[in-house]
Amino acid sequence: MFAGLKTRIEEKRALWSKETQERIERFAAFERRRSLEDMEREQSQHFILNQEVGKYLKTVNPTFLIKPEVNRALLNMLYARSEGTFSINMSMTKEMRKAYSFYHNELKVFIELIERKGFRMEGQEKFFMENFLTKLRENNFRYLTEVYGDFVPAEASITEAFELYLETVDFENKYESGHLDYFATYLNQKGIADFTWTKGRMKRKLKQFEKATKQEFKLKQLERRLQKIS
């Protein structure tokens, strides 16, 4: 009697163990499948965004967005869009107004287009902004490198680099966000200075340099104009 009872208990235990193992295997298979689906979905999102942003930035060049406080404001607009709320900064600078106008007249349309193609903006606002800015900065650097060329010698000092920058770039764009970002990246690649240039530091140092050498710079400009006269 006890032997039969023991046998039945062992059989039940074996059955429970088998069923438990099967449940574990089914759960593991489900998790693997879900993980694979998530990975494929993420890859699809990345592909859509990379492809479409790359094409879009061949049609527009909103370099004012490179300025940190401006792209942060734009990111807040994206969050507000996802939340169904409204975001506006009442104390707008010139670049802030450009960003606000760009978002409402341009970017919202582009976002709607990529959403129709399968991109999900909600929850990916920061990822979108980082991708957008990376490609914008790459395009900006490539374009301005083609425009201005390699105008600073490798052995140049910071002072010489600043002087050459102010002589080379368009006067009205010398403190524009895209130009500052380009010049900071350019000097970092050249290794001119034992620190990493940022746009903020670049702007401060350039303004200090320009103020300190204003008269000398004017004299050099006049001298160059006179040299062109035969």
Side-chain angles (χ1 to χ4, degrees), residues 128-186:
F128 171 87
M129 200 70 232
E130 288 172 349
N131 183 286
F132 192 92
L133 287 174
T134 296
K135 289 192 177 299
L136 177 62
R137 291 184 66 212
E138 288 173 357
N139 287 1
N140 178 67
F141 184 79
R142 188 180 303 112
Y143 171 72
L144 292 181
T145 297
E146 291 175 358
V147 171
Y148 297 123
D150 189 12
F151 61 91
V152 178
E155 68 281 0
S157 66
I158 294 174
T159 299
E160 290 169 333
F162 281 4
E163 184 175 345
L164 287 167
Y165 174 79
L166 293 173
E167 289 177 359
T168 303
V169 303
D170 299 329
F171 178 80
E172 64 274 13
N173 288 324
K174 59 185 175 181
Y175 294 120
E176 184 265 333
S177 294
H179 278 68
L180 289 174
D181 187 68
Y182 153 75
F183 191 43
T185 304
Y186 179 65

Side-chain angles (χ1 to χ4, degrees), residues 4 35 51 66 82 103 149 155 177 182 190 200 214-215 223:
S35 177
Q51 184 180 56
I66 293 174
S82 296
Y103 171 72
E155 68 281 0
S177 294
Y182 153 75
K190 287 275 186 179
K214 187 175 182 179
Q215 189 61 28
E223 186 178 13

